Amino acid sequence: MRRSVSVAVFFAAAALGIGAWSAGAKSPGAAAQQKTDAPEVKIDNFSFGPATLTVSVGTTVTWTNRDDIPHTVVSSDDPKTFKSKVLDTDEKFSFKFEKAGTYPYFCSIHPKMTARVIVQ
Ligand SMILES: [Cu+2]
């Protein structure tokens, strides 16, 4: 009796594990569907949106300042991969990503504003 209960528990746990695995396997496909050829990042209310943008190599990303406060778009690496001038309201900055990698960036005026672009 005790043995059959533990076998049942084992199979239940295995089924849950498979369920979790297949649910997890779906998420990369869902992320890939968010890719566009001319992705935009909106700067508004002291934040970059989306905070993580995934694009293909060779994609040009455009940032637009929708805030009523000036912001910049500056990569966190050194030397800087990209660095915008100060963007006033509705000004744009574009950068073409030629190499795969993860590119964290921030606003040099408000360094707590951070986000990243993932290039695949
Ligand atoms: Cu800013």
Side-chain angles (χ1 to χ4, degrees), residues 43 46-48 67 69-72 106-111 113:
I43 309 172
F46 292 91
S47 61
F48 296 103
D67 214 343
I69 286 172
H71 295 290
T72 65
F106 65 106
C107 169
S108 59
I109 305 169
H110 315 101
M113 290 174 59

Side-chain angles (χ1 to χ4, degrees), residues 49-74:
T52 299
L53 177 70
T54 303
V55 300
S56 303
V57 171
T59 302
T60 298
V61 176
T62 301
W63 286 262
T64 306
N65 185 5
R66 299 290 187 205
D67 214 343
D68 49 10
I69 286 172
H71 295 290
T72 65
V73 179
V74 181

Side-chain angles (χ1 to χ4, degrees), residues 2-3 7 11 23 39 47 59 65 73 85 94 98-99 102 107 113 115-116:
R2 179 171 285 186
R3 170 169 291 201
V7 168
F11 278 108
S47 61
T59 302
N65 185 5
V73 179
K85 67 181 182 79
S94 294
E98 306 275 15
K99 276 191 198 170
T102 298
C107 169
M113 290 174 59
R116 63 184 178 160

Side-chain angles (χ1 to χ4, degrees), residues 70-116:
H71 295 290
T72 65
V73 179
V74 181
S75 64
S76 306
D77 51 356
D78 191 20
K80 304 292 184 199
T81 303
F82 53 90
K83 185 177 192 296
S84 77
K85 67 181 182 79
V86 175
L87 303 174
D88 284 323
T89 302
D90 290 335
E91 285 193 310
K92 292 172 189 283
F93 169 72
S94 294
F95 182 78
K96 187 174 183 180
F97 290 88
E98 306 275 15
K99 276 191 198 170
T102 298
Y103 298 84
Y105 63 92
F106 65 106
C107 169
S108 59
I109 305 169
H110 315 101
K112 283 186 179 169
M113 290 174 59
T114 60
R116 63 184 178 160

